[in-house]
């Protein structure tokens, strides 16, 4: 294929794309071992997303022997090269203490970096950290700003939390119309609670005309 040819010619993105095809089984049966080799080739050449995806394979033990420490090191390598997913993956594991010792401060900082690089889940994570004061100083206004950024990128839970802020007037102007708008956006972003609450808002006429 053209992708294979581009990789053989030294195109790192081509190697990554070919690895992804083997990883996801696009065009044939999935082969994580082949994916890992191609991700490594891309990563070794400086293609950040190759490092991140290879890190995931090591964390899960897919196609390679499971090695959490190596997986985290690869996430860190991807993040250092400004891959937002690498920052988020590493941040999430550290923040939750998932298979590694918890470090909420470092996890929160990585969420902030991931958000700055455009990762919607990173923005949501940064919002949760600031709302709860976990790993950072508690600041609901800053939290709502991160939720807004998450929501604008299509993160349903970010929209839901921002809707709650407007509904309750916590760190944001109390505004039932805005609240319902964000509940609807939460629903559109796949958040079940957003769908339920949006329906309730229209049924009760909370900031909108009653529509049963």
């Amino acid at each position: 294929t053209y992708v294979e040819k581009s990789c053989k010619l030294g195109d790192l993105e081509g190697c990554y794309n070919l690895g992804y095809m083997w990883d996801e089984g696009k065009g044939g049966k999935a082969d994580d071992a082949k994916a890992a080799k191609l991700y490594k080739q891309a990563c070794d050449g400086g293609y950040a997303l190759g490092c991140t995806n290879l890190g995931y394979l090591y964390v899960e033990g897919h196609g390679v022997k499971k090695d959490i420490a190596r997986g985290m090191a690869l996430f860190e390598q991807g993040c250092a090269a400004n891959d937002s997913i690498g920052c988020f993956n590493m941040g999430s594991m550290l923040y939750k203490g998932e298979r590694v010792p918890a470090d909420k401060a470092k996890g929160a900082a990585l969420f902030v970096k991931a958000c700055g690089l455009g990762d919607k889940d990173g923005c949501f994570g940064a919002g949760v950290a600031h709302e709860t004061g976990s790993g950072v100083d508690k600041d609901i206004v800053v939290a709502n700003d991160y939720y807004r950024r998450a929501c604008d990128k299509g993160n349903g839970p970010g929209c839901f939390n921002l809707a709650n802020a407007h509904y309750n007037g916590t760190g944001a102007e109390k505004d039932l119309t805005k609240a319902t708008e964000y509940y609807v956006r939460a629903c559109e972003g796949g958040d079940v609670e957003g769908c339920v609450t949006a329906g309730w808002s229209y049924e009760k006429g909370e900031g909108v005309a009653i529509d049963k």
Side-chain angles (χ1 to χ4, degrees), residues 158-211:
C159 298
F160 182 79
N161 285 8
L162 186 57
N164 284 342
H166 281 295
Y167 187 85
N168 296 309
T170 49
E173 178 189 6
K174 186 175 177 69
D175 186 326
L176 298 184
T177 300
K178 275 188 179 179
T180 299
E181 175 192 329
Y182 282 114
Y183 285 134
V184 169
R185 289 177 65 180
C187 181
E188 291 170 348
D191 187 89
V192 175
E193 287 182 287
C195 298
V196 172
T197 314
W200 180 86
S201 296
Y202 273 98
E203 184 177 338
K204 299 294 183 181
E206 291 277 4
V208 290
I210 292 176
D211 184 353

Side-chain angles (χ1 to χ4, degrees), residues 9 17 34 38-39 47 50-51 59 61 69 99 108 124 129 132 139 150 165 171 183 190-191 198:
L9 291 171
N17 287 337
K34 284 184 178 178
L38 287 157
Y39 286 152
Y47 193 78
C51 304
V59 166
R99 291 181 276 189
F124 178 73
T132 58
D139 190 326
Y183 285 134
D191 187 89

